[in-house]
Short mmCIF file of all heavy atoms in Angstrom, two decimals:
data_model
loop_
_atom_site.label_atom_id
_atom_site.label_comp_id
_atom_site.label_asym_id
_atom_site.label_seq_id
_atom_site.Cartn_x
_atom_site.Cartn_y
_atom_site.Cartn_z
N MET S 1 65.90 -12.18 -32.83
CA MET S 1 65.46 -12.60 -31.50
C MET S 1 66.64 -12.68 -30.54
O MET S 1 66.55 -12.25 -29.38
CB MET S 1 64.74 -13.95 -31.61
CG MET S 1 63.43 -13.88 -32.36
SD MET S 1 62.82 -15.51 -32.90
CE MET S 1 62.83 -16.42 -31.36
N ALA S 2 67.76 -13.25 -31.00
CA ALA S 2 68.93 -13.39 -30.13
C ALA S 2 69.50 -12.02 -29.78
O ALA S 2 69.93 -11.78 -28.63
CB ALA S 2 69.98 -14.25 -30.83
N MET S 3 69.50 -11.10 -30.73
CA MET S 3 70.09 -9.79 -30.48
C MET S 3 69.25 -8.96 -29.52
O MET S 3 69.80 -8.27 -28.64
CB MET S 3 70.28 -9.04 -31.80
CG MET S 3 71.43 -9.57 -32.64
SD MET S 3 71.78 -8.57 -34.12
CE MET S 3 72.37 -7.03 -33.37
N VAL S 4 67.92 -9.02 -29.65
CA VAL S 4 67.10 -8.23 -28.74
C VAL S 4 67.20 -8.79 -27.32
O VAL S 4 67.21 -8.04 -26.34
CB VAL S 4 65.63 -8.16 -29.23
CG1 VAL S 4 64.93 -9.50 -29.13
CG2 VAL S 4 64.86 -7.11 -28.45
N ALA S 5 67.30 -10.14 -27.19
CA ALA S 5 67.47 -10.73 -25.87
C ALA S 5 68.85 -10.38 -25.29
O ALA S 5 68.97 -10.09 -24.09
CB ALA S 5 67.31 -12.25 -25.96
N THR S 6 69.87 -10.38 -26.13
CA THR S 6 71.22 -10.02 -25.68
C THR S 6 71.28 -8.56 -25.24
O THR S 6 71.92 -8.22 -24.23
CB THR S 6 72.23 -10.27 -26.80
OG1 THR S 6 72.19 -11.66 -27.17
CG2 THR S 6 73.64 -9.90 -26.36
N TRP S 7 70.65 -7.69 -26.00
CA TRP S 7 70.61 -6.27 -25.63
C TRP S 7 70.01 -6.09 -24.24
O TRP S 7 70.58 -5.39 -23.39
CB TRP S 7 69.81 -5.50 -26.68
CG TRP S 7 69.62 -4.04 -26.41
CD1 TRP S 7 70.50 -3.22 -25.76
CD2 TRP S 7 68.51 -3.22 -26.77
NE1 TRP S 7 69.99 -1.93 -25.69
CE2 TRP S 7 68.77 -1.91 -26.30
CE3 TRP S 7 67.32 -3.48 -27.45
CZ2 TRP S 7 67.88 -0.87 -26.49
CZ3 TRP S 7 66.44 -2.42 -27.65
CH2 TRP S 7 66.71 -1.13 -27.17
N CYS S 8 68.85 -6.71 -24.02
CA CYS S 8 68.17 -6.54 -22.73
C CYS S 8 68.93 -7.22 -21.59
O CYS S 8 68.92 -6.73 -20.46
CB CYS S 8 66.75 -7.11 -22.82
SG CYS S 8 65.68 -6.19 -23.94
N GLN S 9 69.60 -8.32 -21.87
CA GLN S 9 70.33 -9.03 -20.83
C GLN S 9 71.67 -8.35 -20.51
O GLN S 9 72.01 -8.15 -19.34
CB GLN S 9 70.59 -10.47 -21.28
CG GLN S 9 71.39 -11.32 -20.28
CD GLN S 9 70.63 -11.54 -18.99
OE1 GLN S 9 69.44 -11.84 -19.00
NE2 GLN S 9 71.32 -11.40 -17.85
N HIS S 10 72.40 -7.98 -21.52
CA HIS S 10 73.76 -7.45 -21.32
C HIS S 10 73.77 -5.98 -20.91
O HIS S 10 74.53 -5.59 -20.02
CB HIS S 10 74.56 -7.64 -22.61
CG HIS S 10 75.98 -7.16 -22.51
ND1 HIS S 10 76.94 -7.84 -21.76
CD2 HIS S 10 76.62 -6.08 -23.05
CE1 HIS S 10 78.09 -7.19 -21.85
NE2 HIS S 10 77.93 -6.12 -22.63
N TRP S 11 72.95 -5.16 -21.56
CA TRP S 11 72.98 -3.72 -21.31
C TRP S 11 71.85 -3.22 -20.42
O TRP S 11 72.00 -2.19 -19.76
CB TRP S 11 72.94 -2.95 -22.63
CG TRP S 11 74.27 -2.84 -23.30
CD1 TRP S 11 75.33 -2.05 -22.94
CD2 TRP S 11 74.70 -3.55 -24.47
NE1 TRP S 11 76.38 -2.22 -23.81
CE2 TRP S 11 76.03 -3.13 -24.76
CE3 TRP S 11 74.09 -4.49 -25.30
CZ2 TRP S 11 76.75 -3.63 -25.83
CZ3 TRP S 11 74.81 -4.98 -26.38
CH2 TRP S 11 76.12 -4.55 -26.64
N ARG S 12 70.73 -3.91 -20.40
CA ARG S 12 69.56 -3.39 -19.68
C ARG S 12 69.26 -4.13 -18.38
O ARG S 12 68.23 -3.90 -17.76
CB ARG S 12 68.33 -3.44 -20.58
CG ARG S 12 68.39 -2.56 -21.82
CD ARG S 12 68.35 -1.09 -21.46
NE ARG S 12 69.65 -0.44 -21.53
CZ ARG S 12 70.06 0.48 -20.71
NH1 ARG S 12 69.31 0.87 -19.72
NH2 ARG S 12 71.24 1.04 -20.85
N GLY S 13 70.11 -5.07 -17.98
CA GLY S 13 69.98 -5.65 -16.64
C GLY S 13 69.27 -6.98 -16.55
O GLY S 13 69.10 -7.51 -15.45
N GLY S 14 68.82 -7.55 -17.65
CA GLY S 14 68.18 -8.85 -17.59
C GLY S 14 66.67 -8.78 -17.45
O GLY S 14 66.04 -7.77 -17.78
N PHE S 15 66.08 -9.85 -16.91
CA PHE S 15 64.63 -9.99 -16.91
C PHE S 15 64.12 -10.34 -15.51
O PHE S 15 64.77 -11.01 -14.73
CB PHE S 15 64.21 -11.11 -17.89
CG PHE S 15 64.70 -10.89 -19.29
CD1 PHE S 15 65.91 -11.43 -19.70
CD2 PHE S 15 63.96 -10.14 -20.19
CE1 PHE S 15 66.38 -11.23 -20.99
CE2 PHE S 15 64.42 -9.93 -21.48
CZ PHE S 15 65.63 -10.49 -21.88
N SER S 16 62.91 -9.84 -15.23
CA SER S 16 62.26 -10.11 -13.96
C SER S 16 60.78 -9.81 -14.10
O SER S 16 60.32 -9.31 -15.13
CB SER S 16 62.87 -9.24 -12.84
OG SER S 16 62.21 -9.45 -11.62
N LEU S 17 60.02 -10.15 -13.06
CA LEU S 17 58.58 -9.86 -13.02
C LEU S 17 58.23 -8.98 -11.83
O LEU S 17 57.09 -8.99 -11.36
CB LEU S 17 57.78 -11.17 -12.95
CG LEU S 17 57.95 -12.13 -14.13
CD1 LEU S 17 57.19 -13.44 -13.87
CD2 LEU S 17 57.46 -11.49 -15.42
N ASP S 18 59.20 -8.19 -11.36
CA ASP S 18 59.00 -7.40 -10.14
C ASP S 18 58.51 -5.99 -10.42
O ASP S 18 58.42 -5.17 -9.51
CB ASP S 18 60.31 -7.36 -9.33
CG ASP S 18 61.48 -6.78 -10.13
OD1 ASP S 18 61.27 -6.40 -11.30
OD2 ASP S 18 62.61 -6.73 -9.58
N GLY S 19 58.21 -5.65 -11.67
CA GLY S 19 57.73 -4.32 -12.00
C GLY S 19 58.83 -3.30 -12.26
O GLY S 19 58.53 -2.14 -12.56
N SER S 20 60.08 -3.72 -12.20
CA SER S 20 61.21 -2.81 -12.43
C SER S 20 61.50 -2.74 -13.93
O SER S 20 60.75 -3.25 -14.77
CB SER S 20 62.44 -3.30 -11.67
OG SER S 20 62.88 -4.55 -12.20
N THR S 21 62.63 -2.09 -14.25
CA THR S 21 63.03 -2.01 -15.66
C THR S 21 63.28 -3.40 -16.23
O THR S 21 63.18 -3.59 -17.45
CB THR S 21 64.29 -1.16 -15.80
OG1 THR S 21 65.33 -1.69 -14.96
CG2 THR S 21 64.02 0.28 -15.40
N ARG S 22 63.61 -4.36 -15.38
CA ARG S 22 63.81 -5.73 -15.87
C ARG S 22 62.50 -6.36 -16.30
O ARG S 22 62.50 -7.28 -17.12
CB ARG S 22 64.49 -6.57 -14.80
CG ARG S 22 65.92 -6.13 -14.49
CD ARG S 22 66.60 -7.06 -13.51
NE ARG S 22 65.91 -7.09 -12.23
CZ ARG S 22 66.16 -7.98 -11.27
NH1 ARG S 22 67.08 -8.91 -11.45
NH2 ARG S 22 65.50 -7.93 -10.12
N THR S 23 61.40 -5.88 -15.76
CA THR S 23 60.09 -6.32 -16.25
C THR S 23 59.82 -5.73 -17.63
O THR S 23 59.30 -6.41 -18.52
CB THR S 23 58.98 -5.90 -15.28
OG1 THR S 23 59.20 -6.51 -14.00
CG2 THR S 23 57.60 -6.31 -15.80
N PHE S 24 60.19 -4.47 -17.80
CA PHE S 24 60.03 -3.84 -19.11
C PHE S 24 60.80 -4.60 -20.19
O PHE S 24 60.38 -4.64 -21.35
CB PHE S 24 60.51 -2.39 -19.06
CG PHE S 24 60.57 -1.73 -20.41
CD1 PHE S 24 59.45 -1.13 -20.96
CD2 PHE S 24 61.75 -1.74 -21.16
CE1 PHE S 24 59.49 -0.54 -22.21
CE2 PHE S 24 61.80 -1.16 -22.41
CZ PHE S 24 60.67 -0.56 -22.93
N ASN S 25 61.93 -5.17 -19.85
CA ASN S 25 62.77 -5.83 -20.84
C ASN S 25 62.06 -6.99 -21.55
O ASN S 25 62.48 -7.38 -22.65
CB ASN S 25 64.06 -6.33 -20.19
CG ASN S 25 65.00 -5.20 -19.83
OD1 ASN S 25 64.88 -4.09 -20.34
ND2 ASN S 25 65.93 -5.47 -18.93
N TRP S 26 61.04 -7.54 -20.93
CA TRP S 26 60.26 -8.57 -21.62
C TRP S 26 59.52 -7.98 -22.82
O TRP S 26 59.23 -8.70 -23.78
CB TRP S 26 59.24 -9.20 -20.67
CG TRP S 26 59.83 -10.13 -19.67
CD1 TRP S 26 59.99 -9.91 -18.33
CD2 TRP S 26 60.36 -11.44 -19.92
NE1 TRP S 26 60.57 -11.00 -17.73
CE2 TRP S 26 60.81 -11.96 -18.69
CE3 TRP S 26 60.50 -12.22 -21.07
CZ2 TRP S 26 61.38 -13.22 -18.58
CZ3 TRP S 26 61.06 -13.48 -20.96
CH2 TRP S 26 61.50 -13.97 -19.73
N HIS S 27 59.21 -6.70 -22.77
CA HIS S 27 58.41 -6.07 -23.83
C HIS S 27 59.08 -6.14 -25.20
O HIS S 27 58.47 -6.65 -26.16
CB HIS S 27 58.09 -4.63 -23.43
CG HIS S 27 57.38 -3.84 -24.48
ND1 HIS S 27 56.07 -4.09 -24.85
CD2 HIS S 27 57.81 -2.80 -25.27
CE1 HIS S 27 55.72 -3.25 -25.80
NE2 HIS S 27 56.75 -2.46 -26.08
N PRO S 28 60.30 -5.65 -25.37
CA PRO S 28 60.90 -5.73 -26.71
C PRO S 28 61.14 -7.16 -27.17
O PRO S 28 60.98 -7.47 -28.36
CB PRO S 28 62.21 -4.95 -26.56
CG PRO S 28 62.49 -4.92 -25.10
CD PRO S 28 61.18 -4.92 -24.42
#
């Protein structure tokens, strides 16, 4: 769980609900 969150935060730009790639990051 920590690694998938770190991957999305550090390399994929973090999290958001605006429909961008940061919204996708919630998926994994």
Side-chain angles (χ1 to χ4, degrees):
M1 293 163 54
M3 286 186 67
V4 69
T6 301
W7 177 32
C8 293
Q9 178 66 44
H10 181 72
W11 278 286
R12 296 291 103 217
F15 304 92
S16 177
L17 299 175
D18 58 1
S20 65
T21 56
R22 294 185 298 168
T23 299
F24 171 86
N25 288 341
W26 286 108
H27 175 70

